Structure formats: C-alpha cells, structure tokens
Amino acid sequence: MNAEKGLLIVLSGPSGVGKGTVCAALRKLCPNLVYSVSATTRPPRPGEQEGVNYFFKTREEFERMIEQGELLEWAEYVGNYYGTPRRFVEEMLAQGKDVLLEIEVQGAMQVKRQFPDGVFIFLVPPSMEELRRRIHGRGTEGSGAITERLETARAELAMMAEYDYVVVNDSVEHACERIRAIVTAEHCRRDRLMPLYQKLLAEGN
Ligand code: 5GP
C-alpha cells in the first residue's frame, strides 16, 4: 500500500436514489475530489454533454474499448453498456488525487477485486416509497424502463452488504457531509498512514 496514492472512492446505490444530484453537490463541497467520466452506449438525456456527463459511444466502439483493455470495469445495465476508462483513474491515483467513481453494483464488485483498499459507499433512499416516487418523477424513461429500473433497484439494494459504508440520502446536503466525513476518516486510517511514518522513522536512523 502506498500512502501517497489517492483514495479510490466508489459510490453506488439503487436507480433513482439521487447519486447524480449528490455527486454534483459533492463537486462543490469537495473541489479536490476528481470525478471519473464513464463511457456509455446510452443516448444522452437532455442537457447532458459529451465528456462532461459521459463519453457517448456506439456498441461497436464500446466493445472495442473492452477488447483493448481500456476499461477498469464495465457492465451492462438496463440494456446499455457503462464502463470506467482505466487510464484516467490510474493516472489521478498515482498523482495522489482522490478519485470518485459513480457506478452500479456489478462494476463496483469488479473494482473491489482490483482495488481491495478502495472505499465503497452505498447510497440508500430514506424509504422504498421515496425511491418509487423518485424513479417515477424522473420522467425521462418510458413506462417499460421505469418498471425495469424499479426491479433493478430492488436487486441493487440487496448488494448493500458488499459495501463499507451506507449513506442515507435524506437530504443532498446531509448525504454530502457524510461522504466528506468518510473520505476524511479514511485518510486518517492507520494502515494508510503507516507506510508514510515508517519512511519518516527510517530516515531518522
Ligand atoms: P444513468 O443511465 O442513470 O446515467 O446510469 C445508470 C446506472 O449506471 C447508474 O447506476 C450509474 O451509477 C451506472 N454507471 C454510470 N457509469 C458507470 C460506469 O462507468 N460503470 C458502471 N458499472 N456503472 C456505471
């Protein structure tokens, strides 16, 4: 473990829990956190920009990225591919920056295998009723997609056990504060700091 490397923070949570809103608010609260922009085959929603929200790809382009090993993880989610470009994340971590991945659970489990010292945070809704309301309220998907997203959300909630931390998204502000507190605490972990102090002690001899 290298104490000078940044933290890899993975944020997941069921569809509709408000990950996007929380991430947008976190950007303002923690300007030093670096956000990984994913690749996807999903078409852009109104207002989404290439290279800001996602890198929008065709299925062929995405499959080529998989073949070339360009993705740190990838998954198929509600009929579309989503994946994290590897190089950006590795470069940022090597520079000592904390990197945030906002990804679904299958991808998060792939990351966990490669980065066992990553910080895995699961965002949950205050209640199932609230989750249902948020999925319906989004209104960017047809009714078929809504049903599929609700079913997926239920299966995703069951994956909570695989994460280190659970954050309730009762309000965006509170959720962000908790995530910031987790990141601060993780930086203070003895196992992360030991290598740094061992070097310091060795230098004193
Ligand atoms: P949306 O279509 O609502 O933007 O995203 C759908 C789901 O895909 C969300 O749960 C989001 O966290 C996830 N997602 C976004 N980017 C990635 C990625 O790079 N990899 C994986 N595995 N999931 C992603």
Side-chain angles (χ1 to χ4, degrees):
M1 197 180 289
N2 180 351
E4 286 147 26
K5 268 182 100 179
L7 293 181
L8 183 60
I9 303 145
V10 175
L11 182 71
S12 303
S15 173
V17 73
K19 295 185 295 278
T21 317
V22 167
C23 279
L26 258 184
R27 274 180 194 240
K28 293 200 185 112
L29 192 67
C30 311
N32 294 333
L33 212 55
V34 172
Y35 292 78
S36 157
V37 178
S38 299
T40 185
T41 57
R42 164 170 82 58
R45 293 190 183 125
E48 284 186 337
Q49 286 173 40
E50 166 72 17
V52 176
N53 305 92
Y54 282 106
F55 296 109
F56 296 99
K57 305 284 179 194
T58 63
R59 286 189 81 84
E60 292 70 30
E61 285 168 338
F62 198 100
E63 281 162 3
R64 191 198 52 77
M65 291 177 86
I66 298 172
E67 277 163 28
Q68 311 269 313
E70 290 174 26
L71 299 173
L72 188 70
E73 61 72 35
W74 64 273
E76 203 157 2
Y77 182 89
V78 197
N80 283 300
Y81 285 132
Y82 294 83
T84 305
R86 179 189 298 280
R87 195 194 294 168
F88 177 77
V89 173
E90 289 179 347
E91 280 177 8
M92 291 299 118
L93 291 176
Q95 286 176 28
K97 302 212 167 100
D98 294 342
V99 180
L100 182 80
L101 307 184
E102 189 254 277
I103 62 177
E104 54 69 65
V105 292
Q106 305 167 68
M109 294 306 103
Q110 294 171 43
V111 177
K112 202 175 173 184
R113 283 195 287 277
Q114 298 175 65
F115 294 84
D117 59 343
V119 182
F120 294 82
I121 306 175
F122 198 76
L123 197 64
V124 292
S127 67
M128 278 313 275
E129 196 42 52
E130 178 61 19
L131 184 68
R132 207 168 288 130
R133 206 181 58 74
R134 289 183 193 174
I135 291 180
H136 280 280
R138 181 182 272 165
T140 51
E141 265 88 8
S143 63
I146 286 179
T147 311
E148 203 177 344
R149 275 183 187 256
L150 262 171
E151 278 165 17
T152 309
R154 269 191 215 104
E156 283 170 327
L157 266 178
M159 293 298 288
M160 193 197 289
E162 302 293 330
Y163 288 74
D164 302 314
Y165 296 94
V166 175
V167 169
V168 179
N169 187 17
D170 45 4
S171 86
V172 174
E173 196 193 343
H174 286 148
C176 286
E177 277 303 343
R178 289 174 195 131
I179 294 170
R180 181 158 77 165
I182 291 166
V183 174
T184 305
E186 282 289 333
H187 273 291
C188 300
R189 282 180 70 111
R190 178 189 43 77
D191 52 355
R192 292 191 200 280
L193 291 173
M194 275 299 268
L196 197 74
Y197 284 92
Q198 262 156 7
K199 211 165 90 187
L200 210 92
L201 288 170
E203 279 166 10
N205 291 334

